[in-house]
Amino acid sequence: MVSDSSLAEVLRSRGLRLTAQRQLVLEAVYDLGHATPEQVHNAVRETAAGVNITTIYRTLELLEDLGLVTHTHLSHGSPTYHAAGGHQHVHLVCRSCGEVTEIDPSVLQPLVDKLAAERGFKVDVGHVALFGDCGGCEGQEQG
């Protein structure tokens, strides 16, 4: 977790100031683990009821520009944000129950190496999401 003082330093270095809303948004992302802007908004509203969704989106974009959070697309809806700077991971998204789990990106290393060698393509594994059915949902009747 980024401390208040280090967040303030990062913001100051960019000519910005630490506001309560910025701090609340960053804390919500860290506390929730993986969260859409709407989920962050709901968490922030528990403390600061007057914060609107536009402020949440702008703050998430700013925090991403500062390298404090990152996002990935885990569905067709809103992006999902999580803390940056931690270990990179690949997201596994269950289409049936919606559960999101993480695996080490080394699992994809053969594919990453092949794409680099054959196409000169560098994969950003931190933005990879694989969709399927989790072990708990696999084989269950779809209704």
Side-chain angles (χ1 to χ4, degrees):
M1 177 71 180
V2 176
S3 69
D4 290 359
S5 60
S6 60
L7 176 58
E9 290 169 20
V10 169
L11 289 166
R12 263 197 308 274
S13 73
R14 298 279 297 268
L16 303 167
R17 63 187 176 87
L18 176 61
T19 64
Q21 291 173 343
R22 289 173 177 161
Q23 182 67 35
L24 287 170
V25 169
L26 184 62
E27 287 175 2
V29 171
Y30 276 79
D31 290 345
L32 294 169
H34 292 95
T36 64
E38 292 77 14
Q39 291 168 324
V40 171
H41 185 227
N42 289 336
V44 169
R45 283 193 323 192
E46 291 178 12
T47 305
V51 177
N52 65 42
I53 191 70
T54 304
T55 300
I56 300 297
Y57 274 97
R58 282 193 203 127
T59 303
L60 288 168
E61 288 175 11
L62 171 66
L63 294 173
E64 187 163 28
D65 288 346
L66 295 172
L68 299 172
V69 301
T70 189
H71 80 277
T72 193
H73 293 273
L74 301 181
S75 68
H76 295 294
S78 298
T80 300
Y81 288 83
H82 53 92
H87 72 286
Q88 277 202 320
H89 53 269
V90 174
H91 300 91
L92 302 179
V93 183
C94 179
R95 281 184 271 195
S96 297
C97 71
E99 180 183 30
V100 177
T101 56
E102 302 171 0
I103 60 169
D104 191 276
S106 64
V107 171
L108 297 181
Q109 199 60 49
L111 175 62
V112 169
D113 293 343
K114 184 173 181 150
L115 290 172
E118 293 179 7
R119 303 233 174 173
F121 189 83
K122 185 178 178 190
V123 176
D124 178 1
V125 294
H127 281 88
V128 172
L130 301 174
F131 294 83
D133 292 312
C134 71
C137 293
E138 186 179 19
Q140 289 184 0
E141 291 284 328
Q142 297 295 319

